[in-house]
Each structure stands twice: as C-alpha cells, then as structure tokens.
Amino acid sequence: MTDNAIKIAYYDNTDSTEKRQWWQACLSDRLGPCTLVPLTEEAALSCEFALVWYPPKGRLAALDNLKVIISLGQGVDHLISDPDLPEQAAIVRLVDPDMSHALSQWVILAILDHLRDGPYYRKMAEQKRFEGRDQRQTRNLPVAVYGMGAIGLEIARRLAGLGFDVSGWSRSERQFPEPIKSAHGRTGFENLLASCDIHVCILPLTPETTHLFDSKSFAQMKKGAYFINGGRGKQVVEPDLLAAIRSGHLAGACLDVFATEPLPADHPFWEEPAITIWPHVAAQTNPDTAAAQVAAAITAAANNQPLSNLVDKKRGY
Ligand code: GLV
C-alpha cells in the first residue's frame, strides 16, 4: 500500500478479494496508485469515493467525507433503497457499452431460444429423438422493449436488425431511430401489452415500475406471449406471472432477476419448465471495460467537476 494512494471504499456482495484486486489494478492503471479498502473495514470511514454493489444498508452513512458513490452496475436501486444514504454524496451509475452489448446478446439468446424451440429440442435430444416441429414464422414479429435507456436502445436496435417489429416504451414521449417504433405512458404501455408477442423488461426499479407486471398486465398480453426480464425482479408480481404461465395464457418466461436473490430453493419458478432461470448474469460488470468510467468519475469528483451518468436520487435512476 502506498501512503499517497487514492483510497476507494469497495463492496460487492460476492465478497471476492480477487474481484477487488482486479478493480484495484484497473483503476491504478488509470489513476495512479489506488487502494480499494473493503467498505466494512475501519479504514474505509475516511474515504471520499465508494465503489459498491448492494452495500450493507446504513454503512455508507458512516463515511463522513464521501463525495461520490459509484454503482458497480447499471442499476442503482441497491443504493436508493438505503434510507440512510448520505445526502452530500452524488451517485453515479455505470453506463458501459460492453454491458449493453452483453445484455442485448442475452435478450437475443432468450428470444431465439424460445422462438426456435430450444427447450423442446434439448428435451428431444435427451431422449435421442431426431424429430422436427413446424418452425414459427417470426418475420416482423412484434416485440416490446420496456425501458429505453442506453441498454434498451441497443437491444431494440439489434432486434430490429434481426427482422423483428420493435417498439420501445419509455415513461415520457421520445422518438427512436428508424425502424424502432415508440410508445410511452400508460396508454402506450397497454397498447404494447396487447399487440406484442414478446415482452422484454429492462426498466430501472422505481416506485412506478415496482409490480408493473401484475395479473392485469399479463392478462392484457396476447395468448402465447413470452416475457423476458433483464430489469429487476420486483417489477414482476411473481405469483401472477406463474399463474399466467400455468393457466396457458403466457407461453413462458426467461428471467435473470428475481424479487429475492439468490432465488430461494423452494421457489415455484424452479419447478416450472416454461420458465428459464438465469442467476442474474445477463450482463456482468467487467472492470477492464468499466474502469475508465469509474476513474473519470473519481477524477471529476476529486476536482469538483460535473459528473457523467449522475443519478437523479428523486427519480431513482
Ligand atoms: C445489473 O443488474 C446491473 O444493474 O448492472
């Protein structure tokens, strides 16, 4: 440890020393000598900068000199939900093109696996049965992407490139590049529920998006629609999703996020063959690509300069 090293309080819920060291190396390359101090240690109390993912609630309030809290992911609900978040500290979230890339690939995988009957053919292969099914006609299939930030836009753009008829939904009115259609507000939301075959949620978790997908929303979807969640688990009323699938109204779902993570062993989703479960890995933060942004935020905060990707604490993202 160098005496004049920049000290950054660090926490990620995997408690991995290797990850912390990886970040430390990537940030030292950009900022000069840096020490990532575990947030739970006494030495973190004097840090001006924090780099965190799901930190223990109330802990950041103990850092009196804190200038900026940098989320280790794109979502910041893990911070906003802390009632004792220090007022004076700004929050910055990651907007890493590498993560948009990864998440859009995951969505494409989920959609194509469903449309090309991946689960069915894997089951057939287990039984050594070489039997085809009629291929679905998917040209111009309507797909809705709920949440059109940097990631949603990338997903929509790539899905349009694959020949889907893509609509992006945002809270307030926006226009997206051709051929992506736009929808907004409650009316736009309900129109997309009723008209699309595939629904991709990529929204940030806010009071408005909590439980947005409930029995009413699922009932408004077409029979046979497919639901994909790469946003946050709490946006879905999980028993309502299960009921919509079990009744045969929805064809199934592919989920990366859950109301409780890790998904409890006795959760009924594990038993539902029409639900594909991923353990919140659709887009993992990569220090090699994200470190430039973290370093820029630290440099700006240290020099009292404007921060990029600043979170509006009231809006929640
Ligand atoms: C992942 O869920 C993220 O918010 O980056």
Side-chain angles (χ1 to χ4, degrees), residues 237-266:
V237 179
E238 292 181 338
D240 291 1
L241 174 60
L242 196 63
I245 292 172
R246 290 201 169 150
S247 72
H249 183 63
L250 293 191
C254 180
L255 310 170
D256 186 50
V257 287
F258 303 88
T260 304
E261 292 179 14
L263 187 64
D266 60 354

Side-chain angles (χ1 to χ4, degrees), residues 36-263:
L36 265 64
V37 185
L39 177 66
T40 46
E41 287 182 9
E42 184 80 18
L45 294 177
S46 59
C47 288
E48 294 181 322
F49 318 107
L51 180 60
V52 293
W53 186 242
Y54 285 90
K57 295 224 185 325
R59 177 61 182 169
L60 290 166
L63 278 60
D64 291 336
N65 304 326
L66 199 58
K67 286 187 167 161
V68 64
I69 305 166
I70 305 164
S71 170
L72 269 168
Q74 322 229 12
V76 290
D77 44 296
H78 62 107
L79 297 170
I80 302 284
S81 59
D82 181 348
D84 298 319
L85 208 61
E87 293 261 315
Q88 85 287 358
I91 302 179
V92 162
R93 66 193 193 94
L94 288 184
V95 181
D96 180 359
D98 205 60
M99 289 173 77
S100 305
H101 171 75
L103 200 44
S104 60
Q105 286 191 330
W106 177 81
V107 169
I108 291 167
L109 175 65
I111 293 181
L112 296 184
D113 192 48
H114 163 61
L115 292 175
R116 300 306 302 261
D117 286 315
Y120 169 80
Y121 286 119
R122 284 192 288 275
K123 210 154 124 210
M124 289 298 106
E126 274 170 23
Q127 300 165 25
K128 303 194 171 87
R129 286 167 62 185
F130 196 82
E131 288 168 24
R133 251 188 182 180
D134 284 345
Q135 186 180 314
R136 286 188 180 88
Q137 294 310 310
T138 61
R139 188 185 292 277
N140 295 327
L141 192 78
V143 176
V145 178
Y146 303 93
M148 288 294 283
I151 306 175
L153 196 56
E154 184 67 5
I155 293 170
R157 211 179 52 73
R158 291 185 175 192
L159 291 177
L162 288 175
F164 294 108
D165 177 8
V166 185
S167 297
W169 182 77
S170 49
R171 199 168 70 145
S172 46
E173 189 167 4
R174 284 175 56 200
Q175 289 305 318
F176 307 116
E178 288 282 327
I180 304 165
K181 296 173 182 160
S182 54
H184 72 277
R186 188 71 210 181
T187 309
F189 180 69
E190 293 188 359
N191 286 342
L192 293 188
L193 291 178
S195 61
C196 291
D197 292 80
I198 309 276
H199 301 271
V200 181
C201 171
I202 224 78
L203 289 160
L205 184 66
T206 66
E208 290 84 50
T209 67
T210 300
H211 291 167
L212 183 62
F213 294 95
D214 59 3
S215 57
K216 188 166 165 244
S217 301
F218 293 127
Q220 284 174 283
M221 290 179 185
K222 289 183 191 172
K223 184 166 165 53
Y226 193 73
F227 180 70
I228 296 171
N229 197 4
R232 285 292 181 262
K234 291 193 173 121
Q235 288 154 349
V236 176
V237 179
E238 292 181 338
D240 291 1
L241 174 60
L242 196 63
I245 292 172
R246 290 201 169 150
S247 72
H249 183 63
L250 293 191
C254 180
L255 310 170
D256 186 50
V257 287
F258 303 88
T260 304
E261 292 179 14
L263 187 64

